[in-house]
Amino acid sequence: MSYEILGITVLWTFLYGYLIVASIDFGAGFFSFYSVSTGHKNKVHRVIQRYLSPVWEVTNVFLIFFEIGLIGFFPESAYYYGTALLVPGSIVIILLAIRAVYYAYNTYGISNNGNIVYMALYGATGLLIPAALSTVLALSEGGIIEEIGGQVLLNWGAFFSNPYTWSVVLLAIVSVLYISAMFLSYYASKAEDRTAFEILRRYALFWSGPTILASVFAFFQINRQNPEHFQNMLHIAWMFVASLLCFLAAVYLVWRRRSLGWSFIFVLLQFAFAWYGYGRSHLPYVLYKYVNIYQNFTNEAMATAMLTAFIAGFILLVPSLVLLMRLFLFDARYIRGNSPKKGS
Amino acid sequence: MSLNDPVMMSRILTGLTLFVHINLAAIGVGLPVMMALAEWRGIRTGDPHYILLARRWARGFVISVAVGVVTGTAIGLQLSLLWPTFMRVAGRAIALPMFMETFAFFIEAIFLGIYLYTWDRFRNKYLHLLLLIPTAIGSTASAFFITSMNAFMNMPQGFTLKNGVFTDVNPLMAMFNPATPTKVSHVIASSYTVSACLLVAIAAFSLLKGRRHVYYKKALKLTVVSAFVFALATAIIGDFSGKYLARYQPEKLAAAEWHFDTRDKAPLIYGGILDKNNQVKYAIKIPYALSILAGSSPNMTVIGLNEFPKENIPPLSIHYMFDLKVTNGIMLILIPFIYILRKRIPGMRGAVPKWLLIGLVALAPLAFVAVELGWFFAEVGRQPWILRGYMRVSEGATTSTHVPWMLVLFVLLYLVLCVSCLRVLGKMFRNKNVDDELRELYPEGGGMK
């Protein structure tokens, strides 16, 4: 495997990791708020908080990791995306800021009951952030970022009038809710919390329909936006079929209330197939026609150094993440809530 | 200054983000160390007061970490959003430390999360304490990596510049440039100092308000001694930084000292003002001190500003930043020193006198201001360069015209964040006093004295 492919695969994998953990986190924030405002609070809120509290900080790092890695491996992308994304990028920063901070205030700062305004901010940003972030996928297809006379510009008209932009936004929002509900159903069943499980199962089944419809819609919009990319996707159509099969398996298991662990693994596979299929067919471009992974790769010395750092970092990171998961995700006593209370 | 000037606006916005972030970053690096110190003492001596100290610090720490993560994310993204051309060029040489910084941050985030939620989960108490080691290493390592990138901007090396592109890159040489050792150690030591000073101020403030609990006295002693040690270390490293500047960035040192003519036996100028003809007035001149600062010998020749072309000279106002930061630094050593020696001073055998407590409370603002001034001095002092000797600030900024609006947005954001952060922190500690917490933690009477 060439350095270029290796580099982009590493980055794409981290973005996949972010997609999953952030979706769980974003969706959980929304459900948490929703459950409070509909009076289901005591049934699901606790399960959600138990999961979220120790992991919220880790989620952010995935995103920064991707951004820094992208600039490191493909410095040209800093120039194009950096210039064009000033406004949307700043808005995402602000949303992320509000979300993280008010989460922390709510969880650690205020006494038991929580603050409904903080929770509303938390829930709303949980849907706005994925919507805003996903538009970068639309930008990367080309035709929206243009370089005219040595200046990089974002064509706002093309950006907003583009059906593909809206299809990825829609897909991002519904799949956040779907992934999150699927995970939380599994988590609630591990916690042996029947009431929470039943509510979360309903959410999961409810959001599965829109998710698959939005996926199909986005799939065909790519054809209009970037036919070359769409043709590439058809060459590896089996990956998208596999994704669909995993989706069916996951929903079936939740519907029958069986093997929820497996069900969530199928969700992971569903998004993995779609994500890597999409990414693979997008190559060799990071930004269509402007940034190409072969022509705009960093020098060899930096590539080697970064891959070495990556392997070393990974050796540290994986056991730490496993430890975190064993302590908080797979520790039945902690999940059921027999452990000491938060933060003190 | 024009609103349509993306370069100036980008500088202000970046400066603003860092202005906010640096405070929180310094706490993020230093507090885990202080928490470890308190918890370790608590476990060793079996004294519940120290354990409670660590717990209360940890609780406040999470809030500051939350805001710190947020401003850190902002600066991480703003680097590319506001300085895209710089990142395109420099990314080829310094992506490595930035990349490694994210790993360090990952480790810190993971272990801090575990630490906060496992206070009573392990039977062996040292196991919980051990979790702070990766947390502290992670935060210190991330300070190391990101500061080495900043050092590179001051002292670029490890590449050849060909047609605007860095070739023959040696990432390790770029990372371990001559500025790295002094810069990194100064940043880490000063972060420890700031954190210790903040905790000194909290303890001293409680005593000033008349709380007599022995808990506060223990807290004060532990933190003041730490602050003294860290501040002394920071000052010693600061002296090395002076020698570094004299050798590698003489224009920054000369501008800081208003040192115009190259000469030996150079005096150090403290305070004063410059008139139109660049004559120094009303300043205190300490003979030989600049030569000693620059090279440990009064005969050391110090290069003056007149040797440099005008367009490469940093603003002369950095003199005030330098003087003030050094003054603050000296206070940070002096006040704790008086506290430590107080029992030998006649008439001071009893409780800590009020004036000294006020002085100890002042350590926190002094330390934070010193850190800000230090960074302002370091950053403004390398103007007009973004990559000293290679790229000017004006060549690295974005060309987007939307920066002023983003500046307004971020000013609002930071105002809201800082005000709410302080309010939440205040509320947290007012709601729970030490006695109640001790009784909650140790119901069998580990509590009141």
Side-chain angles (χ1 to χ4, degrees):
Chain A
M1 201 190 266
S2 67
Y3 278 165
E4 290 88 348
I5 296 287
L6 201 59
I8 195 76
T9 308
V10 163
L11 294 177
W12 202 241
T13 304
F14 262 82
L15 209 49
Y16 172 73
Y18 182 70
L19 170 91
I20 298 297
V21 285
S23 290
I24 296 175
D25 187 280
F26 292 144
F30 179 78
F31 290 134
S32 193
F33 167 66
Y34 181 75
S35 67
V36 170
S37 58
T38 52
H40 283 302
K41 178 177 174 173
N42 300 329
K43 294 180 197 149
V44 296
H45 186 67
R46 237 168 52 91
V47 168
I48 293 176
Q49 284 296 327
R50 286 232 140 227
Y51 163 76
L52 279 182
S53 305
V55 299
W56 64 270
E57 227 199 323
V58 179
T59 315
N60 247 345
V61 193
F62 277 92
L63 182 65
I64 293 294
F65 188 96
F66 171 76
E67 188 237 339
I68 300 292
L70 185 69
I71 298 163
F73 284 114
F74 311 101
E76 264 345 77
S77 55
Y79 175 67
Y80 287 98
Y81 282 120
T83 312
L85 288 177
L86 176 67
V87 176
S90 299
I91 292 172
V92 169
I93 297 173
I94 288 169
L95 290 173
L96 281 171
I98 291 174
R99 178 181 164 79
V101 165
Y102 284 96
Y103 173 73
Y105 291 170
N106 200 36
T107 312
Y108 306 100
I110 313 288
S111 54
N112 316 321
N113 283 324
N115 179 319
I116 189 77
V117 179
Y118 290 1
M119 293 205 64
L121 281 171
Y122 186 60
T125 49
L127 294 186
L128 290 173
I129 295 167
L133 284 175
S134 63
T135 55
V136 178
L137 290 180
L139 293 178
S140 77
E141 296 292 339
I144 299 171
I145 294 179
E146 292 160 308
E147 193 176 24
I148 301 163
Q151 187 157 11
V152 178
L153 294 170
L154 179 66
N155 184 340
W156 287 98
F159 178 73
F160 282 115
S161 65
N162 188 349
Y164 184 59
T165 308
W166 297 107
S167 73
V168 287
V169 168
L170 186 70
L171 180 57
I173 293 175
V174 293
S175 47
V176 157
L177 295 171
Y178 166 72
I179 294 173
S180 187
M182 291 297 266
F183 174 80
L184 291 169
S185 313
Y186 158 67
Y187 197 70
S189 81
K190 284 270 294 193
E192 290 167 21
D193 187 338
R194 295 287 331 160
T195 14
F197 171 72
E198 286 303 325
I199 297 171
L200 291 163
R201 173 177 168 273
R202 271 212 318 273
Y203 293 166
L205 293 176
F206 179 82
W207 288 107
S208 65
T211 300
I212 207 66
L213 288 178
S215 311
V216 173
F217 180 57
F219 186 76
F220 287 107
Q221 285 304 325
I222 292 177
N223 191 21
R224 284 184 49 177
Q225 178 72 16
N226 184 343
E228 198 180 322
H229 184 188
F230 189 71
Q231 284 308 314
N232 289 339
M233 283 170 81
L234 292 185
H235 291 311
I236 47 167
W238 67 270
M239 292 185 84
F240 300 98
V241 174
S243 171
L244 181 67
L245 293 177
C246 291
F247 165 77
L248 293 174
V251 174
Y252 175 78
L253 288 175
V254 168
W255 180 55
R256 297 295 306 267
R257 297 187 179 80
R258 283 203 340 231
S259 322
L260 293 158
W262 276 104
S263 163
F264 190 67
I265 288 174
F266 278 119
V267 173
L268 291 179
L269 286 172
Q270 174 200 341
F271 280 88
F273 277 121
W275 186 247
Y276 285 98
Y278 174 87
R280 190 174 147 192
S281 52
H282 197 282
L283 291 179
Y285 298 107
V286 173
L287 170 61
Y288 189 68
K289 293 292 187 203
Y290 285 112
V291 185
N292 176 315
I293 64 163
Y294 296 104
Q295 283 153 24
N296 305 103
F297 197 55
T298 187
N299 52 76
E300 194 165 317
M302 183 53 81
T304 325
M306 282 184 61
L307 286 170
T308 315
F310 175 77
I311 291 164
F314 215 62
I315 291 171
L316 275 175
L317 193 59
V318 170
S320 316
L321 280 172
V322 169
L323 179 66
L324 185 74
M325 289 205 255
R326 286 192 51 156
L327 282 171
F328 299 110
L329 281 188
F330 303 112
D331 184 317
R333 232 190 68 183
Y334 172 80
I335 302 175
R336 280 198 295 273
N338 298 336
S339 282
K341 66 179 175 11
K342 67 189 182 188
S344 55
Chain B
M1 190 177 92
S2 149
L3 281 178
N4 295 322
D5 176 12
V7 179
M8 196 60 202
M9 290 292 131
S10 298
R11 282 183 64 191
I12 296 175
L13 181 46
T14 310
L16 174 73
T17 304
L18 284 170
F19 175 80
V20 179
H21 182 62
I22 284 160
N23 295 316
L24 299 151
I27 298 174
V29 172
L31 251 165
V33 177
M34 294 302 297
M35 276 149 49
L37 211 59
E39 197 181 347
W40 177 69
R41 277 210 74 167
I43 298 173
R44 257 184 56 120
T45 59
D47 186 337
H49 290 139
Y50 289 105
I51 303 278
L52 180 64
L53 207 53
R55 278 194 183 229
R56 281 173 70 96
W57 289 345
R59 202 162 348 113
F61 183 57
V62 200
I63 301 287
S64 80
V65 165
V67 187
V69 167
V70 156
T71 51
T73 307
I75 193 65
L77 293 167
Q78 276 176 355
L79 271 179
S80 310
L81 296 175
L82 295 171
W83 309 95
T85 319
F86 163 70
M87 288 306 282
R88 158 155 90 168
V89 175
R92 292 175 185 273
I94 44 162
L96 182 67
M98 287 186 77
F99 196 60
M100 288 170 86
E101 198 265 350
T102 56
F103 273 114
F105 180 30
F106 239 130
I107 299 294
E108 182 198 346
I110 290 172
F111 282 93
L112 182 65
I114 300 177
Y115 177 82
L116 291 173
Y117 286 87
T118 51
W119 274 99
D120 298 312
R121 247 172 107 173
F122 305 114
R123 207 160 295 152
N124 182 349
K125 287 189 170 147
Y126 282 103
L127 225 50
H128 182 249
L129 174 61
L130 283 178
L131 290 169
L132 272 179
I133 294 174
T135 311
I137 291 179
S139 60
T140 304
S142 84
F144 171 85
F145 290 126
I146 213 65
T147 313
S148 79
M149 176 183 160
N150 181 271
F152 173 86
M153 293 161 81
N154 280 281
M155 193 59 230
Q157 67 165 36
F159 59 86
T160 349
L161 192 65
K162 257 187 218 152
N163 308 326
V165 177
F166 287 175
T167 45
D168 305 327
V169 172
N170 181 342
L172 289 178
M173 247 181 94
M175 217 168 117
F176 294 96
N177 58 71
T180 304
T182 43
K183 219 172 220 293
V184 166
S185 49
H186 198 61
V187 164
I188 292 172
S190 60
S191 301
Y192 292 170
T193 312
V194 168
S195 306
C197 287
L198 174 69
L199 300 173
V200 169
I202 295 172
F205 183 73
S206 303
L207 285 168
L208 254 186
K209 284 191 76 179
R211 297 185 192 132
R212 290 266 153 258
H213 202 291
V214 65
Y215 166 89
Y216 297 108
K217 290 176 190 157
K218 286 179 185 167
L220 194 66
K221 191 171 174 196
L222 178 73
T223 52
V224 177
V225 173
S226 317
F228 175 73
V229 172
F230 293 143
L232 198 60
T234 311
I236 293 168
I237 298 163
D239 180 61
F240 293 142
S241 306
K243 293 174 179 39
Y244 156 79
L245 283 182
R247 187 155 167 210
Y248 293 98
Q249 269 179 289
E251 76 278 14
K252 193 192 259 186
L253 184 68
E257 284 305 325
W258 291 346
H259 180 66
F260 292 95
D261 299 313
T262 302
R263 58 174 284 195
D264 59 355
K265 303 187 177 62
L268 189 113
I269 292 169
Y270 183 83
I273 51 165
L274 270 187
D275 70 6
K276 270 177 258 154
N277 308 319
N278 279 347
Q279 293 301 313
V280 181
K281 277 185 183 165
Y282 314 118
I284 303 170
K285 286 190 185 170
I286 309 167
Y288 307 116
L290 182 58
S291 283
I292 293 172
L293 176 71
S296 304
S297 145
N299 293 321
M300 173 79 181
T301 306
V302 184
I303 300 170
L305 274 177
N306 294 339
E307 314 274 325
F308 300 94
K310 256 212 171 76
E311 67 273 17
N312 288 352
I313 292 179
L316 294 177
S317 59
I318 61 171
H319 174 71
Y320 298 110
M321 301 173 192
F322 184 75
D323 281 3
L324 263 175
K325 138 186 139 137
V326 172
T327 313
N328 280 12
I330 291 170
M331 301 290 276
L332 296 182
I333 300 173
L334 211 60
I335 299 174
F337 193 59
I338 296 173
Y339 170 88
I340 293 167
L341 283 187
R342 73 186 187 286
K343 292 201 172 141
R344 291 165 195 245
I345 301 173
M348 263 179 71
R349 276 165 211 286
V352 186
K354 203 170 169 186
W355 60 267
L356 187 53
L357 284 177
I358 294 173
L360 290 169
V361 172
L363 284 186
L366 284 173
F368 280 107
V369 170
V371 164
E372 292 289 358
L373 286 171
W375 272 112
F376 268 106
F377 165 65
E379 294 302 286
V380 180
R382 74 183 151 90
Q383 294 299 314
W385 302 108
I386 193 165
L387 273 177
R388 182 177 171 274
Y390 290 94
M391 187 191 240
R392 284 172 184 275
V393 171
S394 51
E395 296 162 321
T398 181
T399 45
S400 171
T401 48
H402 301 295
V403 192
W405 283 110
M406 298 303 113
L407 180 59
V408 173
L409 269 181
F410 277 98
V411 167
L412 287 175
L413 174 74
Y414 296 140
L415 273 177
V416 171
L417 289 189
C418 293
V419 171
S420 59
C421 176
L422 292 176
R423 275 191 51 188
V424 168
L425 281 175
K427 224 180 189 170
M428 251 167 93
F429 288 98
R430 253 176 278 128
N431 282 352
K432 266 199 166 177
N433 76 36
V434 171
D435 288 335
D436 297 347
E437 266 191 77
L438 271 175
R439 244 173 266 126
E440 231 172 76
L441 279 175
Y442 306 96
E444 317 82 41
M448 278 289 298
K449 280 272 150 68

